Amino acid sequence: MTVVTRFAPSPTGFLHIGGARTALFNWLYARHHNGKFLLRVEDTDRARSTEPATQAIIDGMKWLGLDWDGEIVYQFARSNRHAEVAHELVKNGTAFYCYTTQEELEDFRAKNPNAKFRSPYRDGGIPRPDVPPVVRLKAPIHGEVIVRDKVQGEVTVKNSELDDMVLLRSDGTPTYMLAVVVDDHDMGITQIIRGDDHFTNSFRQVLLYQAIGWQPPQFAHIPLIHGADGAKLSKRHGALGVQEYEKMGYLPEALRNYLLRLGWSHGDDEIISTQQAIEWFDLDAVGKSPSRFDFTKLENLNGHYIREADDAKLVDLAVNSRQQTVTSGQKNILLKAMGGLRQRAKTIVELAEISDFYIAARPIILDDKAKAVIEKGGKEIITGILPELEKLENWNHDNLQQICKDYGEKIGQKLGNIMSPLRAAITGRTTSPSMFEVMDILGKEETTLRLKDVV
């Protein structure tokens, strides 16, 4: 049997971090078993479903690198099929037309707050021409329903605890429960991997599978993600759309790796490549306890992937993060500098910020600390070493280091005291990669002009 999994988001908002992890687990499970991973947009809630939200989901999936097989299935387009199944159930006697009004239903619930609704029309009854009926499942009264979950284990619920759920509303539109079951069956889904907030839905869905005569798929309900404080994940914890993580400078491979480790483990491995994840992933290693989202761990992981990334890729990402026009010459400078810059950044935004001085227009803007260095004896050192630098014909790292070292010995100063004002004048900051590397990359003309700007 070919494994077929699916990710089925509702397009009522962004692709949030919990949904992204669900998509990742489904994708990995399918790829691990050489199966298929399908994408279904559950857009039956027409009042809340939007085209921008649908596009945000698609863009988020593409950015994360979670490719799906075949065309996207849009649930609303299958409404006729859902209704067809509901009416077939009525013909088979496992569903029925219910003429109970909303007012009568509310009255029942007010008088019986803990009781499950059993319709008086379960076994027939006189139709009411003035009341458009709903279609309800004729849920068993006796016995029990068992869900054998790959994560939660075997769980049993008595049928007496389940009600006659609505399958078709009075306007003929399908409910979520009906649409999901029909779509999963028609799409050939073999494993449903989703958050455990859907676990209670499984019992009603199994009853519906049984009523239709279909084999239920295998269920796996993964625990939700909590904040670092153990509370339900919110925006302050990181419950954001994946596009926000892109804007904050995280790499998709880093976010994939981090989400994989939220609720799944492979020994003590923390850095897990995509190929390793596909090779190792299975449901047996998914834990039962909620995971805690930790931005510090994500940043550290992102820093690792930045250090491992291709220089040209990092330049493009840093330039795009700036949202400013950058010339090909400036890109070449950043490409030369990227080896030293990548070691100092944990996000692409940070990488763009610390590389900004390389391509900044003269005169360089000095921050307050850099200004203080220049004002407290820095000008004198720069004035003294400038002629030595201008005389240098073979401008390279080693020669620059020797000139600065020799000048320090000449005036009785440590090398660090020489480099501090040079750094402040050339970069506008008091921290940077190796200044010999920076000066080499910037070249003689740009370096000396920046030094002259402060004296």
Side-chain angles (χ1 to χ4, degrees):
M1 181 181 67
T2 301
V3 165
V4 184
T5 66
R6 51 76 161 172
F7 177 52
S10 297
T12 56
F14 47 71
L15 174 59
H16 62 80
I17 207 71
R21 186 189 63 164
T22 297
L24 174 65
F25 280 19
N26 277 279
W27 182 81
L28 287 172
Y29 190 84
R31 297 293 177 255
H32 174 78
H33 290 281
N34 297 311
K36 294 180 179 180
F37 169 63
L38 307 181
L39 177 59
R40 181 174 75 232
V41 176
E42 298 191 334
D43 55 349
T44 51
D45 186 345
R46 305 308 289 171
R48 298 177 62 219
S49 298
T50 68
E51 181 57 36
T54 299
Q55 194 58 51
I57 290 169
I58 294 171
D59 292 344
M61 294 282 287
K62 289 180 178 178
W63 180 74
L64 279 171
L66 305 181
D67 56 319
W68 55 89
D69 300 295
E71 298 296 322
I72 300 173
V73 174
Y74 291 90
Q75 194 170 66
F76 179 72
R78 293 176 42 80
S79 297
N80 290 339
R81 167 62 175 157
H82 305 145
E84 173 190 305
V85 171
H87 292 303
E88 282 295 322
L89 288 172
V90 173
K91 290 180 182 178
N92 296 339
T94 50
F96 59 93
Y97 295 114
C98 177
Y99 296 87
T100 303
T101 66
Q102 187 63 33
E103 292 76 12
E104 290 167 343
L105 186 59
E106 291 174 359
D107 183 61
F108 169 83
R109 288 173 176 163
K111 294 176 180 177
N112 307 276
N114 298 318
K116 300 301 177 182
F117 178 71
R118 299 293 179 180
S119 171
Y121 295 90
R122 280 173 57 90
D123 300 309
I126 300 174
R128 298 162 65 176
D130 59 327
V131 178
V134 300
V135 174
R136 289 185 181 272
L137 180 70
K138 190 175 182 179
I141 297 175
H142 305 293
E144 58 191 19
V145 59
I146 301 172
V147 171
R148 294 177 176 87
D149 193 275
K150 286 288 290 181
V151 176
Q152 306 296 330
E154 183 175 301
V155 181
T156 301
V157 169
K158 293 180 180 180
N159 286 332
S160 60
E161 298 179 18
L162 304 173
D163 56 8
D164 295 338
M165 67 177 174
V166 176
L167 304 179
L168 277 185
R169 302 181 184 91
S170 59
D171 62 359
T173 58
T175 61
Y176 165 81
M177 291 293 193
L178 174 65
V180 165
V181 167
V182 174
D183 287 347
D184 282 339
H185 171 267
D186 289 359
M187 293 169 68
I189 304 302
T190 59
Q191 272 80 18
I192 293 178
I193 304 169
R194 59 190 180 187
D196 63 9
D197 53 333
H198 287 280
F199 190 45
T200 56
N201 291 337
S202 303
F203 302 101
R204 289 179 170 82
Q205 289 168 3
V206 167
L207 284 183
L208 186 49
Y209 275 104
Q210 292 172 349
I212 304 173
W214 292 339
Q215 178 66 33
Q218 188 178 67
F219 292 98
H221 288 88
I222 56 180
L224 301 181
I225 303 172
H226 287 182
D229 57 2
K232 183 179 178 181
L233 195 66
S234 64
K235 285 187 177 181
R236 68 185 176 89
H237 295 117
L240 308 168
V242 294
Q243 284 92 344
E244 292 302 312
Y245 286 88
E246 181 182 10
K247 292 177 183 176
M248 289 188 288
Y250 293 99
L251 298 175
E253 52 268 40
L255 190 57
R256 280 200 310 270
N257 190 158
Y258 183 71
L259 291 176
L260 173 64
R261 290 289 289 109
L262 283 179
W264 180 89
S265 62
H266 186 270
D268 294 327
D269 293 300
E270 293 290 342
I271 308 296
I272 301 174
S273 70
T274 299
Q275 192 54 48
Q276 287 173 325
I278 292 173
E279 180 183 344
W280 295 341
F281 187 83
D282 219 329
L283 297 172
D284 295 340
V286 175
K288 290 186 178 183
S289 301
S291 305
R292 296 195 177 194
F293 194 90
D294 187 333
F295 263 115
T296 301
K297 288 185 178 180
L298 174 57
E299 277 194 356
N300 290 334
L301 197 59
N302 202 58
H304 165 82
Y305 279 96
I306 285 176
R307 291 189 293 275
E308 295 294 314
D310 176 73
D311 282 345
K313 173 185 174 180
L314 291 177
V315 169
D316 287 340
L317 289 171
V319 167
N320 291 338
S321 176
R322 286 170 54 88
Q323 297 183 335
Q324 295 177 5
T325 302
V326 176
T327 67
S328 58
Q330 290 174 321
K331 276 192 174 184
N332 288 334
I333 290 174
L334 292 177
L335 190 60
K336 293 177 183 178
M338 197 51 67
L341 293 170
R342 66 165 70 240
Q343 308 298 326
R344 308 170 66 85
K346 290 185 177 180
T347 69
I348 297 300
V349 171
E350 189 176 350
L351 183 67
E353 289 174 351
I354 64 173
S355 64
D356 186 66
F357 73 85
Y358 270 112
I359 56 177
R362 293 183 37 246
I364 298 297
I365 297 174
L366 277 59
D367 65 23
D368 291 341
K369 290 182 179 180
K371 288 178 181 177
V373 170
I374 298 299
E375 292 168 0
K376 294 178 181 179
K379 282 187 180 182
E380 290 77 5
I381 290 176
I382 292 171
T383 300
I385 200 173
L386 249 174
E388 304 296 324
L389 293 172
E390 290 181 312
K391 287 189 296 185
L392 181 61
E393 294 183 1
N394 192 3
W395 187 275
N396 60 46
H397 179 286
D398 292 345
N399 287 343
L400 288 166
Q401 184 176 20
Q402 190 62 53
I403 280 183
C404 293
K405 184 179 179 181
D406 290 346
Y407 184 74
E409 292 176 353
K410 178 181 176 181
I411 65 172
Q413 292 283 355
K414 294 180 180 179
L415 182 60
N417 294 335
I418 302 299
M419 303 315 299
S420 182
L422 292 181
R423 176 176 288 106
I426 294 169
T427 71
R429 307 166 187 175
T430 54
T431 59
S432 74
S434 162
M435 279 310 298
F436 307 118
E437 176 185 330
V438 170
M439 294 161 72
D440 188 10
I441 291 169
L442 285 174
K444 181 177 181 178
E445 181 180 6
E446 180 68 18
T447 298
T448 53
L449 285 173
R450 290 189 183 193
L451 292 173
K452 288 177 181 179
D453 282 340
V454 301
V455 296

